[in-house]
Amino acid sequence: MPPSPLDRRTFLRATTATALAAGALTTAGALPAAAASGNRPIPRPAIGMHLYTMRRSLAVDFAGTVRALAGIGYATVGVSGRHGHSAAAIRAMLDDAGLDAVLEHVGYDRLTNNLEGACADVVTLGGHWVVTSSLPGSLYTLDGIRQAAAAFNRAGEVAATYGLKVLHHNHDAEFRTDGGRVLYDVLLEETDPDLVGFELDVYWAARGGYDAGDYFVDHPARFPALHVKDMAPGGGFADVGSGVLDFAAMFEHAHRGGVRQFLVEHDNPADELSTARNSFRHLRDLRF
């Protein structure tokens, strides 16, 4: 019998730790099962690829790579790395392939020092969100995370003038505790929901011991985009659907979280196009 909803985070922390230590976690044990209708698909326009996954191919042939993604069935991309191209040139290549850019990752320094330029580029790309890819290491404390939250609120005010919203992409460090507080929770609580949202990386949340599904319930409408990344039994990266994370259970309440984009990511794929194909097929066929 799966644990009760109140015990889900405790269960996930324990099972994830076991997987990392023993490399023997089964798919059924990765996340507790959830009662799901079992007939809700992810709409095709919501299935995207975060282009960091494809970075080696993009560096060689950007236009050909995005055409290949469209041929697989992807509808959208998250831009991460220009590979020498301007925002306008990338937009032209995406338009030619029939893909839409929904966001671009930028460094925290750009968010705080050149946000207007970042916003202008996202508008050129046709996206909705300007996303911080990570935080400086010095900010992973309670005081630092509050400083980051204040910076996100200020940036959100600027982005709103461009018709955009600021999002933050997490790693596992956001799920550390300081002063009895989970840093990610502090970010959620101290940012303005009208100005700041989150691109929740479900793999890194699991590595930190937390279930993305709980966040959808506890913080409605804060997560317009996801990084859908699977975990291998030993804790490494896996193609979506080939690892231990139970996406059907995780996504049961995705609508409550406000999820609009399910962006595939793999940090180190052996074969980028194979990962793209495998991951797309799993999300296309998934029911929750």
Side-chain angles (χ1 to χ4, degrees):
M1 177 180 294
S4 69
L6 293 176
D7 293 329
R8 293 180 76 195
R9 290 184 180 177
T10 301
F11 179 82
L12 181 63
R13 283 193 289 272
T15 53
T16 300
T18 301
L20 298 179
L25 189 62
T26 65
T27 300
L31 290 171
S37 66
N39 59 9
R40 291 193 301 267
I42 300 174
R44 182 177 172 271
I47 302 178
M49 169 62 73
H50 187 61
L51 291 182
Y52 182 75
T53 307
M54 312 299 296
R55 61 194 179 278
R56 293 189 292 272
S57 299
L58 291 167
V60 175
D61 183 1
F62 200 110
T65 300
V66 296
R67 285 197 301 269
L69 290 174
I72 290 168
Y74 287 94
T76 63
V77 299
V79 177
S80 179
R82 300 279 188 82
H83 302 280
H85 302 290
S86 67
I90 291 173
R91 173 67 180 272
M93 287 184 279
L94 293 175
D95 284 349
D96 181 66
L99 293 171
D100 293 323
V102 294
L103 57 84
E104 183 172 29
H105 273 209
V106 302
Y108 184 77
D109 285 347
R110 192 169 190 209
L111 188 84
T112 54
N113 296 319
N114 185 22
L115 180 60
E116 290 83 359
C119 289
D121 284 345
V122 172
V123 170
T124 297
L125 289 166
H128 311 293
W129 307 298
V130 54
V131 186
T132 49
S133 53
S134 63
L135 294 175
S138 61
L139 294 183
Y140 290 110
T141 65
L142 185 57
D143 288 342
I145 216 74
R146 285 177 168 155
Q147 176 184 329
F152 288 152
N153 285 329
R154 291 192 296 270
E157 292 178 349
V158 175
T161 67
Y162 289 80
L164 305 173
K165 194 168 189 174
V166 167
L167 306 184
H168 174 61
H169 166 264
N170 63 281
H171 293 87
D172 54 346
E174 280 85 345
F175 297 93
R176 298 172 185 168
T177 59
D178 186 9
R181 303 295 310 285
V182 177
L183 299 181
Y184 197 68
D185 294 351
V186 175
L187 273 180
L188 281 158
E189 293 166 8
E190 298 199 7
T191 49
D192 185 338
D194 292 331
L195 301 174
V196 180
F198 293 84
E199 182 186 45
L200 182 58
D201 188 308
V202 302
Y203 168 94
W204 288 117
R207 279 292 296 257
Y210 289 83
D211 178 358
D214 288 329
Y215 277 99
F216 300 149
V217 173
D218 294 343
H219 300 276
R222 297 303 305 274
F223 307 100
L226 302 181
H227 273 188
V228 184
K229 183 188 306 179
D230 213 339
M231 182 184 289
F237 307 114
D239 292 357
V240 175
S242 68
V244 300
L245 298 186
D246 186 345
F247 293 110
M250 188 186 298
F251 295 160
E252 180 188 1
H253 298 295
H255 63 289
R256 293 182 63 180
V259 178
R260 294 165 55 189
Q261 283 290 309
F262 296 76
L263 299 172
V264 167
E265 189 182 37
H266 190 308
D267 286 20
N268 192 27
D271 182 323
E272 293 172 350
L273 282 175
S274 177
T275 287
R277 284 191 292 270
N278 294 339
S279 299
F280 175 82
R281 289 168 184 162
H282 184 76
L283 291 184
R284 178 197 63 194
D285 296 339
L286 184 68
R287 298 294 182 269
F288 54 93

